[in-house]
Amino acid sequence: MIEIDGSEGEGGGQVVRNSCALSLVTGRPFRITNVRGGRSKPGLMRQHVTAVEAAARIGGAEVGGAAVGSATLEFRPGAVQPGEYRFAVGTAGSTGLVLQTVLMPLALADRPSRLVLEGGTHNMLAPPFDFIERTFLPVINLMGPKVEARLVRHGFYPRGGGRIEVDITPTPLTPLECLEGGGFDGGSAQVLFTGLPFEIAERMIARLRRELPDWPEDAFAVRELPPDQGPGVILMIEARKAHVTEIASGFGQLGVPAERLAKTAAGRLKGYVASQAFAGPYLADQLVLPFALAGGGAFTTVKPSGHLITAIELAQRFLGKPITLEQEPCGRHLVRFA
């Protein structure tokens, strides 16, 4: 039984999700105390419970403490059973975060699987579907498994109601050496909104044009979705390098000016584009699981986040193999897997 203090490191739901995935692959049970102890509202939330239930269902696990508000979680895995599954998060809990929990165990299974995930597709503090489709999954597909994801319906916080479908054809993971992102190959920015005044989206795009003056006019777009898919607004800025794509996003919030969201997201992306790194801050922590389970390889990234460091520490505890993180003279950081 691996004992984990959920308040350490990143201190949030990532500890729960990665522990479930690693447990299913390794067969090692775990117990987390102080679940999400680093958050203002500790304990499991609805989307975390759904992620645990999804992991338990595909892996025949025995689970204790999988309830909203629970501060302790115990998970004893069984054998992973690929197949067709449907998981509904409820309200606008992130479908992408549930996918992260079950993807690697199913990608290493002995038969294909198909997932239907319902809930939020564009959420605060979670990767939007566009990031999963265009940034994360292309790297997974390079490692061997074939994973195809489709957005059927958008779902914004707080209403939710979104739907994604995922087909997974498993294979063993091949280690990759992702050291160079390559030169900047263009970018685009889009604001998706529904059930809100058009003026909010206009202000976001106007600020993005100011922040990214070298980008052509046709790189910026606004798209209005049907009102029953909202209300909500998200801006997404995509930077394409020769070998990878990164997406920075900003989710509309009450009390936060549209211009500030646009400036912050653009600043994050400009820092990544200027670096020589392969992975941006959002992609880096999500690559730890597949790279660690591949048993080798390396990638470079920008300044390490708390999520990245926590993901590394968890992977080392479950797998018993060293993962090194060191800064290179050029300023980027190298993450290498034994």
Side-chain angles (χ1 to χ4, degrees):
M1 177 70 70
I2 296 177
E3 299 285 349
I4 301 167
D5 185 342
S7 67
E8 295 181 353
E10 180 267 333
Q14 179 199 36
V15 175
V16 174
R17 293 187 297 272
N18 283 21
S19 295
C20 287
L22 287 162
S23 178
L24 288 177
V25 175
T26 63
R28 302 187 66 183
F30 68 86
R31 180 187 296 111
I32 303 176
T33 54
N34 299 318
V35 172
R36 297 183 67 251
R39 295 294 182 261
S40 58
K41 294 182 179 180
L44 294 173
M45 298 179 66
R46 180 67 252 172
Q47 67 184 20
H48 308 116
V49 173
T50 303
V52 173
E53 291 174 342
R57 187 172 164 196
I58 70 165
E62 297 178 4
V63 181
V68 174
S70 176
T72 302
L73 176 69
E74 189 168 305
F75 190 95
R76 296 178 181 273
V80 173
Q81 295 294 326
E84 295 192 8
Y85 295 97
R86 173 183 173 271
F87 301 115
V89 185
T91 64
S94 172
T95 53
L97 296 181
V98 175
L99 175 60
Q100 287 178 12
T101 309
V102 299
L103 177 59
M104 283 300 101
L106 292 175
L108 292 169
D110 57 3
R111 300 190 311 278
S113 294
R114 184 173 189 270
L115 304 176
V116 175
L117 304 172
E118 296 173 340
T121 60
H122 294 77
N123 302 59
M124 291 182 288
L125 305 178
F129 173 82
D130 310 73
F131 174 91
I132 293 169
E133 179 189 37
R134 300 202 293 273
T135 300
F136 178 58
L137 290 185
V139 181
I140 300 302
N141 287 336
L142 284 174
M143 300 181 78
K146 182 180 180 183
V147 185
E148 298 180 348
R150 297 173 296 281
L151 176 63
V152 178
R153 175 186 167 92
H154 292 79
F156 288 88
Y157 178 86
R159 179 179 292 181
R163 178 186 173 106
I164 66 173
E165 298 174 351
V166 185
D167 290 308
I168 304 168
T169 302
T171 67
L173 292 165
T174 301
L176 296 179
E177 295 279 329
C178 297
L179 305 183
E180 302 293 336
F184 180 60
D185 197 29
S188 61
Q190 182 182 55
V191 175
L192 295 178
F193 79 102
T194 172
L196 295 171
F198 182 73
E199 176 257 347
I200 295 175
E202 277 190 314
R203 286 161 50 203
M204 286 184 178
I205 284 291
R207 185 55 187 252
L208 287 177
R209 288 193 177 102
R210 287 174 53 191
E211 296 294 327
L212 304 166
D214 297 331
W215 288 24
E217 182 68 22
D218 61 4
F220 302 90
V222 175
R223 179 185 175 193
E224 183 174 10
L225 300 170
D228 63 346
Q229 297 188 27
V233 59
I234 185 173
L235 66 86
M236 293 176 288
I237 320 171
E238 177 178 313
R240 297 180 294 277
K241 289 189 176 183
H243 307 302
V244 66
T245 294
E246 180 63 283
I247 294 178
S249 58
F251 192 91
Q253 305 173 55
L254 287 174
V256 180
E259 293 82 0
R260 187 194 304 172
L261 283 171
K263 180 180 179 180
T264 300
R268 291 172 181 159
L269 200 72
K270 286 190 288 187
Y272 166 70
V273 170
S275 77
Q276 300 178 35
F278 175 85
Y282 307 102
L283 177 60
D285 67 274
Q286 297 185 47
L287 291 183
V288 171
L289 266 181
F291 273 66
L293 293 172
F299 65 83
T300 57
T301 185
V302 293
K303 181 179 178 181
S305 66
H307 282 83
L308 173 60
I309 294 170
T310 301
I312 289 173
E313 292 174 348
L314 272 176
Q316 290 182 125
R317 292 194 64 181
F318 276 90
L319 299 171
K321 297 180 180 179
I323 303 171
T324 60
L325 172 63
E326 58 184 36
Q327 186 170 4
E328 297 184 323
C330 64
R332 70 185 182 184
H333 290 73
L334 174 67
V335 186
R336 181 163 293 281
F337 300 78

